[in-house]
Amino acid sequence: MGTYHTFFVATDAQLDRLFPGWVTALPSKAPRPGINPFTKQPITVQDWAPAHPPKPLGSPNLYDDVWGPAAPALVVANEYMAMLEEACAPGLRALPHFRDKNVHMYAWEQLGDLAPMLDHEQTATPPIRIGREGDDNIPKVWTLSRSATETLADLADDALQPLALRILSEYEFCDEPVTDEAAAGVAADLLTPLRTLARTAIGAGSHLCSYFALHY
């Protein structure tokens, strides 16, 4: 089982078309009931909540084939990633985008969690859209704050590998020393196209977003 991430650039109007019925979030987390995955006992967790009740995901949406031709992906590292690219939701594939897998394990499950690694002191960034439970595995669309997007867009080439080293050093399942080779791979296959999207978002006055689920 993995998480399949699509990073993309979109305006508010495009997000409304891609995720009809989904809404913006409250500015801070709120308590909600949950279940402890180990004990199966009821617990209270802090989570993002919608600003007002979302409606069921409408149609057409990101999964419907009504979006026109796909834009070229910014990076396709190998045949497996080419397969994931082909499986991308048509609505996201039509926008400037690229795909990756299991990025949540780099200690930034939510795109906004990248901001502190860019040396931005800020409060947590809420999802830019929230849907109803059951709309998808994880009915949230994440975004990077405008200021952090600008910082990412301005990063020089020689700053990408040090940032990759920092990301990997906080990798929660990493029990071995981080190698320069691994950092170079993250810099090339993840941070370089992410920086390109940040530059596109800044130039277009759009949002740098990510969406992921437990399926292709």
Side-chain angles (χ1 to χ4, degrees), residues 123-189:
T123 57
T125 304
I128 197 165
R129 292 292 185 276
I130 296 183
R132 300 195 323 168
E133 293 296 328
D135 278 345
D136 210 333
N137 301 120
I138 305 164
K140 296 181 176 70
V141 183
W142 304 103
T143 190
L144 191 62
S145 69
R146 184 73 175 184
S147 60
T149 301
E150 290 172 348
T151 297
L152 177 60
D154 289 341
L155 284 183
D157 289 345
D158 60 7
L160 295 178
Q161 187 155 338
L163 177 58
L165 284 168
R166 183 176 179 185
I167 290 171
L168 289 173
S169 70
E170 298 187 21
Y171 179 29
E172 61 182 302
F173 300 114
C174 186
D175 296 325
E176 300 180 0
V178 176
T179 65
D180 288 339
E181 182 180 6
V186 170
D189 297 337

